[in-house]
Amino acid sequence: MTAISLISIALTLLLAFLLARPAGLYIAYAFHNEGTRLDRWFGPLEKLIFSIGGIRRNNQNWKQYAASVVLSNTVMIILVYLILRFQGVLPLNPSGVASMEPTTAFHTAISFMTNTDQQHYSGEIGLSYFSQMIAIVFMMFTAPASLLAVAIAFIRGLAGKPLGNFFVDMIRGITRILLPVALVMAVIFIALGVPQTLEPTAVVNTLEGAKQEIARGPVGSFLSIKEFGNNGGGFFGMNSAHPFENPGGFSNFLQILLMLLLPAALPFTYGKMVGNKKQGRVLFVSMAMLLIVLLGISLASENAGNPAINALGIQHQQGSMEGKEVRFGAAQSSFYSVVTTATETGAVNTMHDSLTPIGGLVALGNMMLNTVFGGVGAGFINVLMYAMVAVFLSGLMVGRTPEFLGKKIEGKEMKLIAITLIISPLLVLVPTALALYTNADTISNPGFHGLTQVLYEYTSAAANNGSGFEGLGDATPFWNITTGIVMFLGRYFSVITMLAIAGSLAAKKPVPETSGTFRTDNVVFAGVFLVTVLIVGALTFFPAVALGPIAEHLTLKP
Amino acid sequence: MSTRKRSLNKEIVNHAVKEAFIKLDPRIMIRNPIMFVVEVGFVITLFLIFVPNAFGTAVSAGFNIAVALILLFTVLFANFAEALAEGRGKAQADSLKQTKKEISANKVSGNTVKQVPSTDLRKGDIVIVSQGEMIPGDGEVIEGLASVDESAITGESAPVIKEAGGDFSSVTGGTRVISDQIKVRISSDPGESFLDRMISLVEGASRQKTPNEIALNTVLVSLTIIFLIVVITLPFFADYLNIQLAVPVLVALLVCLIPTTIGGLLSAIGIAGMDRVTQFNVLAMSGKAVEASGDINTIILDKTGTITYGNRMASELVPVGTHELKEVSEWVAVSSIHDETPEGRSVLELLKKQGFEFDASVADGAEFIEFKAETRMSGMDLKDGRKVRKGAVDAVKQWVESQGGIIPDNLNQNRDAIASAGGTPLAVAVDKTIYGLIYLKDTVKPGMRERFDQMRKMGIKTIMCTGDNPLTAATIAREAGVDDYIAESKPEDKIAVIRREQAEGKLVAMTGDGTNDAPALAQADVGIAMNSGTVAAKEAANMVDLDSDPSKIIEVVAIGKQLLMTRGALTTFSIANDIAKYFAIIPAMFMLAIPGMEALNIMKLHSPMSAILSALIFNAIIIPLLIPLAMKGVAYKPMSSSQLLSRNLLIYGLGGVVVPFIGIKVIDLIVQLWV
C-alpha cells in the first residue's frame, strides 16, 4: 500500500468531514418549519406536489407519523412489486427483459423501499429500463427521504417540538436535498464516462470474431442517487466494480464522498435543531473515531494479504488483490468497503467475499453496530438510541434519574429501547441459524467462510445495508422471503419504537440543567457512548463472529 | 436508636440461609426473571445428571454435576442476598411489633368511660390516657397536656410534651404517657396506624418496585433475552461446522453472560436503601420517595431550627457613651447570672468564650427580676440597692430616663447598626447609666455552610423560608450560604415557591411540621414531616423524620443518590464482566474442534473444562462477595456529576473488565487440580 493511497484516503475523509458541518446546517435549515428563504426557491414546486397529493401539512402525533411512514412505504412496495412483475409487458424494455419471478420481486421491492438494496438479481439482465428508472430510482429517492424525515421528526421530538408532518418532510427531503445534489452529481458522473442512454444492450463483434453483449442504460442518473441516498443497489450486477458504474479513481472518490455526506452531516443537523451544538459535535467525533479505527484495521489486514497465498510466493506488495479491481487497488477497495458498510449504503467496488477475514469482519462489524454513522437517518436514530442507553447507565452511576437533553429517560422509554435492542440479534442470529440448518447447500464455500456468508447476508438485510458477501446462491424463494421479512422488520420496527420514544420525550417537561446534571456533551460521555456501542455489539455478536471470520482468520496458516 | 441500629447478627444470617432455600420455589423465583433463567438452567443440568444423553452430546458426569451445583449456588447466593436485606428489616419490625401489644383503652362514650381493647378503637373514638398508660392508637390530643415517652418509635429517651391545639398535638400509638392525663381523638382504624405502616414498611411487605428499578429491570431482562437468542442459535452455527456443543456447556455460557450479578443483588440493593433511610431514623413511605430525593433540584428549608438554632444568641458586646468594654462585660454578667432564658445563658457563654472575668459575688443575695411582657426587661436588684436591668433598648431607655438618667449620644446609632445587620440589640443599664448593648444574633448551626456548598456542588438549590424581616433574612442567608430566601413568609408562600420551581421542571423537597405545612408537604416531590409535628403534616408527607431533625433532608438526598449509584455501578460491573467470561468460555467451547481458537485463550486457562467451571464459579461467588457493597451502597461524596462518573467508571467499569480476568485465572489455578 503506497503512501499516496493513504494520503488520498486521508484527504477524502478530511474533505467529507469538512463538508459535514455546512451540509448538516443546511439540512436543519431545509426542514425548518417556520418559513425560510428556501421556500422561495422550492415553495412553488412543493406546493404543487402538496396540492396534487392532498397533503394538509398539519402536525402529526407520533402514531400518525409512524403510520404515515409504514403505510406510504407499504403502498410503494406494492406498486413496485407490480411493476417488477409486469415489466416484461411494460414499455421501455428495449432489451426484452422478462417479468420478475414473484419471490424475487417481493424481495426487490422491500429491498429498495427499505433503503437496503440487497439484490438477488443482476441489474443488466433482471430489470427493464422502465423498472430501473420508474421503480428502482423512484424508491432510491423515497426510501432515504422517508428515513431522513423520521430522523428529523425524532430530533424534533427530542427538542420538545411537534414532530411535524411526514409527507411534508419526505417531499422536502427530496426537493431540497436529494434531488438537487443527485442532479448535479449525475451530470458529473456522466462527464466522467458513465453511460446515460435508453439504447438497448450493445452487441459488438470482438477482434477474435466473437459476439459480445455490452450492457448499458441510464446509469448516470441512477448512480448519483444510489450513493447519495445510501441506497447502494447497482445498475449492473457488479455494482461499482463495473467500469460503467465507477470508471476510475475520481468517480470512486466522488462515490465515497457522496456516501459519507448525509450520514456525517446529521449530527450537526441534530446539534443545530436541539440547540446543543456541542453534543452534535461529540457524537460526530465519536463516530468518526470509530470509522477511522475500523478503517485502520481493515487497511492493515488487506495490506498484509492472505498468509496462505503469500506463503506460495505470490507477490503481495499490492496487498490482498483477490476479488479487487486493479483500477482501485487494495487501499481504495478496502476504504470503499468500510465506508459502504459504515454508511449502510451497500454499494461495492470489490467482492466482499474476497476480503481478508479481518477485512470482512470490519465490514460485518460496521453493519452489526449500525452506528458508525449508519445510513441516512436510520443510522443516526440508532446512534441516539445508544446514546440514551449510555445516558441511562451513566445517570445511574451518578445517582440521578437519567436525563437526555433535559428529558428524563424513564421506564417507558427504556422499555421501547429494550425491545429495539432485542430486534437486531433476533433478525440476524435466528434466520442465520435457520439458514445454516436448512439451506446449507446454497453456500458456495463451506466452513467458517460459508458461515460468514450467511451471517453477512442477514446482517446486511437487518441493518438495511444491502451489500452482499456473495458466493451465496441466494436467488431462491427461501432467501428471497426470509431476507425480505428481515429487511422489512429491520426497518419499520425501530421506526415505530423510536418515534414512540420521540413522542413520549416531546411531551415531557424539560428538567433544568444544574451542575448536578450529567453532561452529555463532553469527552467522558463520548467515551461512555463508544464503550456502550462496542460492548453491546460485541457481546451480542461475538460467538457468531468467533465461528465465522475470527475462526477463519485463526485457521489461515501459511 | 441503638436498639434498632442492628448489623448482621448470627440470627439474621441463619434466617437468611433458610430463606434462600425457601425462595427456590419457582413461583417466587419467577419474580426475578434473570435468576429464574439460572434456576431453569440448574433444573436442566440436574436432569442431565440422571439422563446424560437426553439432548444428544453428553459430557462427563463429574462436569455435569459440577455445573449443576454451581448453578444451584448461584441462585442460593442471590436468594441469600435478598433474604439478608429483608432480614435486617424484619429484625427492626420485630422490635416494633413488641410495642404493638394489645393495649386496653379507656374509651369515652357519652359521659361514661369504658375499658375496651385497643383493636376495637375506630377513627373518631375518644380515649383518656393517664400517667403510666400506653396511648392505644394514633390520634390527636384534644384536651390536656402530658409528657410522653416516644422512645419506642424514635429511640429518643427524653420525653416530649404533647398538648391540645397547636403543632404538638399528635400522638402515636404504642407510646407511653409518663405524666399528667390527656384526652385523645383516635385518627386511624386498626391496622392502619403509623406503627402498622412502619412495621410493614421495614418488613418490606409493602415494597413496590420503583420506576427506576423497573426501567433497569427492563434493560436487564432485554439483555437476558439477547443472550438467550445468542446461546440458543449458537448450536446451529456450531452444528453447521460439525462441532457438537453439549447442553451443560451452553447453559454455563448463558448463565455467565446474563447479568446475574446485578440481577441477584437488585432487590437487595433496593431493600438495603430503604433500610439505610430507616437507620437514619427517617421513615420513607415508599422507595419511590427515596429515589426521588436523589433527583432533588431544590430544597426548601425553614430557617428556624433547621439552619439556625432558632433562639437568639449573644455574639458581641458594644459599649456606649464613654464606657469601657470591661465595665460592660461585668454588668452584662451580673444581669445574666440568674437568667435561665437561652439568651441569658448565651451571654454567659459569650463572656466565657471571650475570656472576660467578672466578680460573681456582686450578685450575692440579689433578687432576680424576671422578664415580663409589660416591662420587656429582666435584671437584678442588688443587695446594696443598685438596680441592674437588661432588655429591649426602648424599654431600658425609658427606665433610665424615668430616673433622670442621661442617654449616651451613640446609643441610637449603635442600636440601628445592630438592627440593620439583622441582629437584636439589648441594652444593659445600672440605675441611671446605660453601659452598653448586647448584640443578639440568630446563630447559624455549625457546618451548615459546608453542607450548602456541598449541595451546590451536587446541583441542588437551597431556599430558606423565614418569618423574619428581609434584612434579618438576608443576613442569615448570607451567613449560611443558602442560594435564595423568602422573608416574612407565610405558609402559602411555600406552596407558591414549590409550584414555581416545579413549573420549571424541578423536583422540590421540603421539611415541615405544622398543620399549615401539610399542603406544601403534599405538593413537594419529597416532603419530610417531623415526627413531633401534627398528624396532618405526617399524612401529607412521604417521609417522616422520627428524630424531628429537619436538616436530615440532606442525608436523605445522599442516600437516594447512593441507591441509584449502587444499582448503576453493579450493572456496569456485571456487564463489563462478560468480556472476560467470553474469553474464558468461547475458546473453551471450540478449542478441540478449532485448535486455532487457542489464540483467544488469553488467560491461558488449563483446559476447556476448567475454563468453563472457573468462569461459572467466578460468576457465582461474585454475588456474595458484593453483598456488603449492595447493602452499604457505593461510597458517595458530593462532587460534580462528571467527576463522579469518571470515578465510578474507573472503579466499576474498568474494574469490571479487569477483576474477572484475574478472578477466573486464580480460580482456574485451583480448579485444574481436580479436572
Side-chain angles (χ1 to χ4, degrees):
Chain A
M1 222 168 265
T2 58
I4 295 279
S5 59
L6 288 180
I7 290 169
S8 80
I9 288 173
L11 285 177
T12 311
L13 277 182
L14 187 71
L15 191 60
F17 292 164
L18 285 178
L19 281 174
R21 205 178 100 89
L25 297 182
Y26 173 78
I27 297 172
Y29 195 56
F31 284 103
H32 204 61
N33 268 339
E34 272 95 57
T36 59
R37 267 183 296 157
L38 289 175
D39 292 346
R40 267 225 312 268
W41 292 70
F42 300 102
L45 175 63
E46 287 166 3
K47 272 203 193 96
L48 182 70
I49 298 172
F50 293 151
S51 65
I52 293 172
I55 295 163
R56 275 181 292 143
R57 308 169 71 170
N58 56 326
N59 272 321
Q60 294 174 312
N61 63 30
W62 79 262
K63 282 179 190 155
Q64 294 167 327
Y65 206 104
S68 304
V69 179
V70 178
L71 288 181
S72 69
N73 282 9
T74 308
V75 167
M76 289 188 246
I77 289 172
I78 295 169
L79 264 174
V80 168
Y81 175 82
L82 292 176
I83 292 176
L84 297 176
R85 294 282 289 122
F86 295 105
Q87 63 177 354
V89 293
L90 288 168
L92 274 179
N93 188 9
S95 306
V97 174
S99 290
M100 205 179 246
E101 178 270 329
T103 62
T104 312
F106 166 81
H107 176 266
T108 306
I110 291 178
S111 177
F112 280 85
M113 189 67 252
T114 55
N115 202 227
T116 315
D117 297 25
Q118 198 170 49
Q119 293 164 295
H120 287 173
Y121 63 90
S122 242
E124 55 270 57
I125 49 168
L127 291 182
S128 71
Y129 291 167
F130 185 83
S131 295
Q132 295 275 32
M133 292 198 299
I134 304 299
I136 302 298
V137 173
F138 161 69
M139 278 185 161
M140 279 186 167
F141 280 96
T142 54
S146 293
L147 255 279
L148 186 58
V150 173
I152 295 294
F154 187 71
I155 295 172
R156 285 192 190 121
L158 288 183
K161 294 188 191 115
L163 300 189
N165 181 300
F166 169 69
F167 298 103
V168 173
D169 290 337
M170 186 184 74
I171 299 297
R172 281 190 179 165
I174 294 174
T175 54
R176 299 179 176 196
I177 296 160
L178 297 173
L179 206 51
V181 176
L183 203 65
V184 173
M185 293 311 295
V187 173
I188 295 177
F189 279 125
I190 293 165
L192 288 171
V194 174
Q196 179 77 11
T197 174
L198 291 179
E199 294 295 313
T201 300
V203 183
V204 293
N205 290 314
T206 65
L207 289 176
E208 300 106 67
K211 237 183 170 182
Q212 188 186 356
E213 292 187 8
I214 301 175
R216 52 184 174 173
V219 189
S221 55
F222 186 102
L223 181 57
S224 60
I225 190 62
K226 162 186 133 182
E227 307 292 357
F228 185 51
N230 294 147
N231 290 294
F235 190 94
F236 302 105
M238 297 307 292
N239 208 306
S240 283
H242 193 293
F244 283 174
E245 212 164 322
N246 194 359
F250 191 64
S251 66
N252 197 57
F253 153 76
L254 284 180
Q255 293 189 8
I256 290 177
L257 207 58
L258 277 177
M259 286 194 268
L260 279 170
L261 195 53
L262 283 176
L266 277 175
F268 294 102
T269 309
Y270 162 80
K272 172 80 184 161
M273 286 177 72
V274 300
N276 187 344
K277 290 182 182 164
K278 216 176 145 203
Q279 190 171 64
R281 216 156 54 216
V282 162
L283 291 175
F284 171 80
V285 171
S286 309
M287 291 190 277
M289 270 164 44
L290 258 182
L291 179 73
I292 290 169
V293 169
L294 289 168
L295 175 63
I297 296 172
S298 174
L299 283 172
S301 175
E302 294 306 317
N303 187 40
N306 183 334
I309 294 179
N310 295 350
L312 299 174
I314 290 167
Q315 193 260 11
H316 63 276
Q317 273 71 27
Q318 303 279 321
S320 169
M321 281 303 291
E322 182 200 320
K324 294 192 176 66
E325 276 291 305
V326 189
R327 280 175 296 148
F328 308 123
Q332 290 297 335
S333 301
S334 148
F335 185 27
Y336 201 104
S337 77
V338 173
V339 171
T340 194
T341 46
T343 60
E344 306 304 349
T345 306
V348 291
N349 76 348
T350 181
M351 281 300 107
H352 285 194
D353 191 35
S354 297
L355 289 171
T356 57
I358 298 301
L361 175 62
V362 169
L364 197 55
N366 272 332
M367 298 187 294
M368 285 169 169
L369 299 179
N370 200 1
T371 47
V372 193
F373 288 119
V376 182
F380 192 66
I381 294 175
N382 216 15
V383 164
L384 289 176
M385 182 186 79
Y386 274 100
M388 283 184 212
V389 176
V391 158
F392 181 76
L393 287 179
S394 333
L396 285 182
M397 300 259 271
V398 299
R400 280 181 75 93
T401 302
E403 291 152 24
F404 190 59
L405 293 172
K407 305 291 181 99
K408 283 206 155 81
I409 310 280
E410 290 168 301
K412 188 179 171 198
E413 288 76 30
M414 284 320 290
K415 264 184 202 142
L416 289 164
I417 290 175
I419 51 172
T420 319
L421 280 176
I422 296 172
I423 196 79
S424 156
L426 196 67
L427 289 181
V428 174
L429 296 178
V430 173
T432 303
L434 181 71
L436 286 172
Y437 195 67
T438 61
N439 274 262
D441 54 324
T442 53
I443 296 166
S444 64
N445 194 343
F448 308 128
H449 195 80
L451 191 143
T452 313
Q453 288 178 345
V454 178
L455 184 63
Y456 194 103
E457 182 79 359
Y458 286 110
T459 309
S460 171
N464 298 125
N465 176 286
S467 68
F469 209 51
E470 303 311 334
L472 211 53
D474 53 17
T476 67
F478 172 83
W479 287 105
N480 285 335
I481 291 167
T482 54
T483 50
I485 294 169
V486 168
M487 287 187 291
F488 191 85
L489 293 178
R491 166 107 320 177
Y492 300 108
F493 191 85
S494 62
V495 163
I496 296 168
T497 53
M498 290 295 118
L499 281 174
I501 292 175
S504 158
L505 288 181
K508 283 190 187 188
K509 220 185 312 170
V511 180
E513 202 170 284
T514 67
S515 65
T517 309
F518 158 66
R519 297 197 71 87
T520 51
D521 56 4
N522 56 16
V523 182
V524 180
F525 180 70
V528 181
F529 164 73
L530 283 177
V531 170
T532 308
V533 167
L534 289 175
I535 288 197
V536 173
L539 291 182
T540 310
F541 294 110
F542 185 72
V545 296
L547 288 180
I550 292 179
E552 189 185 358
H553 173 76
L554 293 174
T555 45
L556 267 190
K557 289 272 153 54
Chain B
M1 190 66 203
S2 58
T3 51
R4 300 209 289 116
K5 204 179 238 167
R6 209 176 285 264
S7 61
L8 301 175
N9 61 31
K10 214 170 149 195
E11 198 185 324
I12 297 178
V13 173
N14 286 341
H15 181 73
V17 170
K18 212 170 73 196
E19 278 288 307
F21 283 92
I22 295 170
K23 282 170 187 273
L24 285 177
D25 183 339
R27 285 167 302 180
I28 302 176
M29 283 307 292
I30 193 98
R31 279 186 235 155
N32 184 344
I34 300 159
M35 296 318 292
F36 184 72
V37 169
V38 181
E39 193 174 36
V40 171
F42 163 67
V43 172
I44 293 174
T45 47
L46 187 70
F47 172 71
L48 284 173
I49 294 176
F50 302 106
V51 197
N53 294 311
F55 306 120
T57 330
V59 288
S60 77
F63 178 76
N64 202 339
I65 292 170
V67 171
L69 272 179
I70 300 168
L71 294 187
L72 176 63
F73 273 97
T74 311
V75 182
L76 285 176
F77 287 152
N79 288 350
F80 176 72
E82 194 183 78
L84 205 58
E86 285 170 352
R88 297 218 299 188
K90 280 222 174 67
Q92 286 186 351
D94 288 343
S95 77
L96 284 172
K97 272 182 191 157
Q98 288 175 2
T99 316
K100 201 183 160 298
K101 289 175 301 222
E102 180 114 328
I103 307 167
S104 76
N106 305 313
K107 186 176 158 190
V108 180
S109 40
N111 292 326
T112 58
V113 174
K114 215 167 57 181
Q115 285 251 335
V116 295
S118 60
T119 45
D120 285 0
L121 290 176
R122 292 290 178 274
K123 211 167 171 174
D125 286 351
I126 291 170
V127 293
I128 291 175
V129 193
S130 310
Q131 184 169 348
E133 290 177 349
M134 287 264 202
I135 297 173
D138 293 0
E140 200 171 341
V141 181
I142 50 172
E143 206 180 295
L145 176 151
S147 57
V148 177
D149 173 11
E150 294 199 317
S151 59
I153 306 285
T154 64
E156 174 63 56
S157 56
V160 285
I161 303 292
K162 298 289 182 181
E163 59 181 321
D167 287 349
F168 294 98
S169 61
S170 94
V171 288
T172 312
T175 56
R176 188 181 294 278
V177 172
I178 52 177
S179 76
D180 304 300
Q181 178 179 324
I182 45 175
K183 209 180 241 182
V184 175
R185 184 188 295 121
I186 298 296
S187 61
S188 65
D189 288 331
E192 290 166 11
S193 74
F194 188 62
L195 202 62
D196 290 315
R197 263 191 298 164
M198 190 157 162
I199 291 170
S200 81
L201 276 167
V202 291
E203 260 185 335
S206 60
R207 202 178 94 85
Q208 286 176 322
K209 280 195 174 144
T210 60
N212 177 273
E213 209 174 338
I214 292 170
L216 180 56
N217 223 358
T218 314
V219 176
L220 297 178
V221 169
S222 81
L223 277 176
T224 307
I225 295 173
I226 289 177
F227 289 126
L228 265 171
I229 297 171
V230 169
V231 172
I232 290 173
T233 54
L234 194 56
F236 293 95
F237 285 56
D239 182 65
Y240 168 75
L241 299 170
N242 296 318
I243 302 168
Q244 301 311 315
L245 295 177
V247 170
V249 174
L250 288 169
V251 171
L253 175 66
L254 177 65
V255 170
C256 280
L257 292 180
I258 61 175
T260 48
T261 313
I262 179 68
L265 294 172
L266 194 57
S267 57
I269 294 170
I271 297 166
M274 290 282 283
D275 192 45
R276 273 201 299 284
V277 177
T278 320
Q279 282 188 29
F280 252 101
N281 254 6
V282 174
L283 196 59
M285 298 302 166
S286 69
K288 197 175 165 184
V290 178
E291 260 173 28
S293 60
D295 281 343
I296 290 303
N297 303 94
T298 306
I299 296 186
I300 295 174
L301 296 158
D302 276 327
K303 184 202 79 173
T304 309
T306 309
I307 297 172
T308 65
Y309 283 108
N311 32 33
R312 293 152 192 270
M313 313 263 258
S315 73
E316 203 184 328
L317 299 181
V318 183
V320 294
T322 55
H323 300 288
E324 297 287 316
L325 191 57
K326 178 86 180 80
E327 282 175 276
V328 182
S329 72
E330 276 166 9
W331 288 116
V332 163
V334 171
S335 72
S336 305
I337 281 180
H338 295 297
D339 186 354
E340 287 303 316
T341 63
E343 287 89 350
R345 268 179 294 179
S346 78
V347 169
L348 296 184
E349 267 167 41
L350 175 74
L351 293 176
K352 212 156 92 191
K353 212 164 62 193
Q354 300 199 338
F356 286 114
E357 281 174 18
F358 58 91
D359 184 5
S361 65
V362 178
D364 283 349
E367 188 196 345
F368 179 65
I369 309 294
E370 262 192 70
F371 179 87
K372 283 203 192 79
E374 306 90 74
T375 59
R376 293 193 291 148
M377 289 186 298
S378 66
M380 300 277 259
D381 288 351
L382 299 184
K383 241 177 6 191
D384 58 11
R386 282 187 292 180
K387 289 181 172 151
V388 185
R389 288 293 180 274
K390 177 182 76 184
V393 179
D394 294 342
V396 174
K397 243 162 82 178
Q398 260 178 19
W399 181 71
V400 169
E401 275 169 347
S402 69
Q403 300 174 74
I406 299 155
I407 309 300
D409 298 339
N410 59 354
L411 179 72
N412 284 353
Q413 188 194 332
N414 279 320
R415 177 198 62 191
D416 294 347
I418 292 171
S420 65
T424 309
L426 288 186
V428 176
V430 182
D431 293 337
K432 288 189 210 171
T433 327
I434 298 185
Y435 280 85
L437 299 172
I438 304 171
Y439 183 168
L440 287 183
K441 207 161 134 184
D442 196 356
T443 320
V444 173
K445 288 182 180 176
M448 290 314 280
R449 208 187 167 85
E450 289 72 26
R451 293 188 139 195
F452 293 137
D453 283 344
Q454 283 180 358
M455 288 209 253
R456 202 164 301 116
K457 265 188 223 152
M458 287 152 66
I460 297 172
K461 179 177 160 193
T462 43
I463 300 179
M464 179 183 86
C465 275
T466 170
D468 290 345
N469 62 54
L471 218 56
T472 314
T475 310
I476 298 284
R478 200 167 47 240
E479 253 178 63
V482 293
D483 298 309
D484 203 353
Y485 64 89
I486 307 156
E488 288 167 355
S489 81
K490 296 178 287 297
E492 311 86 84
D493 292 345
K494 277 190 192 166
I495 294 208
V497 175
I498 294 172
R499 292 223 172 103
R500 189 188 72 205
E501 296 284 315
Q502 283 175 336
E504 291 171 26
K506 294 178 179 170
L507 290 186
V508 185
M510 74 160 277
T511 58
D513 50 12
T515 300
N516 51 18
D517 279 334
L521 282 169
Q523 177 74 34
D525 300 282
V526 175
I528 304 186
M530 301 298 108
N531 191 44
S532 59
T534 58
V535 176
K538 284 197 264 185
E539 290 284 339
N542 40 21
M543 287 191 209
V544 175
D545 178 12
L546 300 174
D547 295 341
S548 305
D549 170 8
S551 66
K552 261 206 277 184
I553 192 167
I554 299 162
E555 273 86 15
V556 174
V557 168
I559 293 174
K561 283 191 181 295
Q562 210 184 15
L563 178 64
L564 292 187
M565 276 166 55
T566 310
R567 280 198 201 123
L570 290 183
T571 305
T572 309
F573 186 84
S574 189
I575 297 171
N577 273 197
D578 280 4
I579 298 175
K581 291 177 194 163
Y582 260 139
F583 276 104
I585 297 185
I586 294 290
M589 284 173 109
F590 303 116
M591 222 143 48
L592 294 180
I594 313 169
M597 281 282 177
E598 175 64 30
L600 293 183
N601 182 12
I602 53 176
M603 282 176 272
K604 301 281 164 247
L605 300 179
H606 175 70
S607 69
M609 251 186 224
S610 77
I612 293 170
L613 288 180
S614 303
L616 210 50
I617 291 174
F618 176 85
N619 190 55
I621 62 168
I622 196 74
I623 296 177
L625 289 180
L626 288 174
I627 288 178
L629 184 69
M631 298 283 226
K632 228 171 63 205
V634 302
Y636 172 67
K637 269 194 230 113
M639 54 172 100
S640 85
S641 54
S642 287
Q643 284 171 302
L644 204 58
L645 179 65
S646 311
R647 179 176 158 274
N648 285 342
L649 272 181
L650 204 66
I651 300 176
Y652 300 100
L654 197 62
V657 175
V658 175
V659 167
F661 275 106
I662 301 168
I664 292 173
K665 178 69 191 171
V666 170
I667 295 170
D668 182 71
L669 288 176
I670 302 166
V671 168
Q672 62 176 260
L673 299 176
W674 288 283
V675 291

